[in-house]
Amino acid sequence: MLLAIDIGNTQIKLAVFEQNTLLNKKTIPYSDWKMEVLNTLNFFSEIKNIVVSSVGNLQKSDFLDIKTGIEVFFITRESKFPFQNRYETPITLGVDRMVVVTGAVLTFPEQNRLIIDAGTCVTYDFVDANDVYHGGAISPGIRLRYESLNNYTAKLPLLQQEQPKDFIGNSTDQSIHSGVINGITLEIDGFISSVLNKNDNFIIILTGGDADFLAERLKNTIFANPNFLLESLNQTFQYNQQ
């Protein structure tokens, strides 16, 4: 039994796996991370290994001696990955992106894959049918777009995520919702269409905290799985144990 931990920019996700079966999942704030990890380890006493991917503020040293008998595998750029990395600045490539690419390669062999992770940021990652990773794109996620409008203007309010009533907003609030939600939807659809025009034999994978919200609004056919990064963490761990 394995505990997978995804440490993001704003929150932490925990998932318990028995082989490839997801048994339990939860999202926790940074302030409660250690207590929640220990509670999970105590509840699932058969867990012997932890795999961690971090783009946040927690490092490998934070997990040392977390509990007797538990081995911690921290994903780094020096870990084993089942793809050739053509990124021009590999030292700057986030391990979370490397993990989802690993999951795409192992889950969907011999296909071109575009992985879109819609979280704090929206990341796009392209790996071809020969398992060569080429790179992608990074843009602000939904929450960042709402916050930036509030932080960098004098009078625009900070709104909660909401589907706009119409494409043309008839109030300031509705104009913001239209700009944020329609803007990010058109961006994703446009990025997908640009890639599809140049490649065939393609699968589009949408994951991240906003995956379900966005999936029903996109025109292109996608494989939506909010748990794909956690499942990819499990696969990355298994790949490194071989």
Side-chain angles (χ1 to χ4, degrees):
M1 199 172 284
L2 174 74
L3 174 60
I5 303 178
D6 167 35
I7 301 171
N9 291 293
T10 57
Q11 59 188 10
I12 299 172
K13 295 179 181 178
L14 310 180
V16 178
F17 288 91
E18 180 69 64
Q19 297 299 322
N20 292 320
T21 302
L22 177 61
L23 300 179
N24 182 267
K25 185 192 73 169
K26 66 175 71 172
T27 300
I28 61 173
Y30 266 80
S31 57
D32 298 337
W33 80 268
K34 197 163 191 176
M35 178 186 69
E36 290 288 353
V37 169
L38 288 172
N39 287 342
T40 301
L41 292 174
N42 289 332
F43 187 83
F44 294 94
S45 58
E46 295 181 22
I47 294 175
K48 300 302 178 186
N49 294 282
I50 297 175
V51 60
V52 184
S53 167
S54 177
V55 296
N57 295 324
L58 295 180
Q59 306 301 321
K60 186 175 183 178
S61 57
D62 295 304
F63 287 84
L64 294 178
D65 302 323
I66 192 161
K67 186 177 180 182
T68 302
I70 300 294
E71 295 290 333
V72 179
F73 181 76
F74 216 85
I75 303 292
T76 70
R77 294 179 185 89
E78 287 69 47
S79 302
K80 292 192 299 181
F81 299 97
F83 58 88
Q84 181 183 351
N85 192 346
R86 291 273 182 87
Y87 210 54
E88 286 191 3
T89 56
I91 196 171
T92 67
L93 182 60
V95 293
D96 56 335
R97 297 174 70 185
M98 300 177 77
V99 166
V100 292
V101 170
T102 296
V105 167
L106 297 177
T107 305
F108 304 101
E110 300 179 355
Q111 296 182 68
N112 293 306
R113 310 94 164 174
L114 178 66
I115 310 101
I116 304 169
D117 190 345
T120 302
C121 297
V122 181
T123 59
Y124 303 81
D125 292 288
F126 172 56
V127 56
D128 68 25
N130 296 316
D131 300 337
V132 177
Y133 174 76
H134 295 270
I138 305 172
S139 71
I142 291 176
R143 193 64 205 155
L144 276 182
R145 297 180 192 221
Y146 278 113
E147 290 177 350
S148 66
L149 290 174
N150 174 249
N151 290 337
Y152 294 102
T153 63
K155 296 183 178 180
L156 291 181
L158 176 60
L159 304 180
Q160 297 299 313
Q161 178 175 308
E162 179 183 304
Q163 173 66 13
K165 296 177 181 178
D166 199 348
F167 198 85
I168 303 298
N170 62 359
S171 67
T172 297
D173 284 9
Q174 283 302 310
S175 295
I176 292 173
H177 289 313
S178 178
V180 171
I181 303 304
N182 290 321
I184 198 168
T185 302
L186 290 169
E187 173 197 305
I188 294 173
D189 267 327
F191 199 97
I192 292 173
S193 296
S194 295
V195 175
L196 289 178
N197 286 338
K198 299 178 181 179
N199 302 274
D200 54 11
N201 185 27
F202 222 105
I203 184 162
I204 313 296
I205 304 160
L206 178 65
T207 189
D210 290 322
D212 285 339
F213 180 82
L214 292 168
E216 60 191 37
R217 292 162 176 82
L218 297 174
K219 294 180 180 178
N220 288 282
T221 301
I222 58 172
F223 171 73
N225 180 359
N227 298 324
F228 192 74
L229 191 148
L230 291 167
E231 293 172 2
S232 298
L233 257 179
N234 179 44
Q235 290 178 300
T236 304
F237 173 79
Q238 293 183 32
Y239 183 79
N240 275 266
Q241 300 308 302
Q242 294 174 1

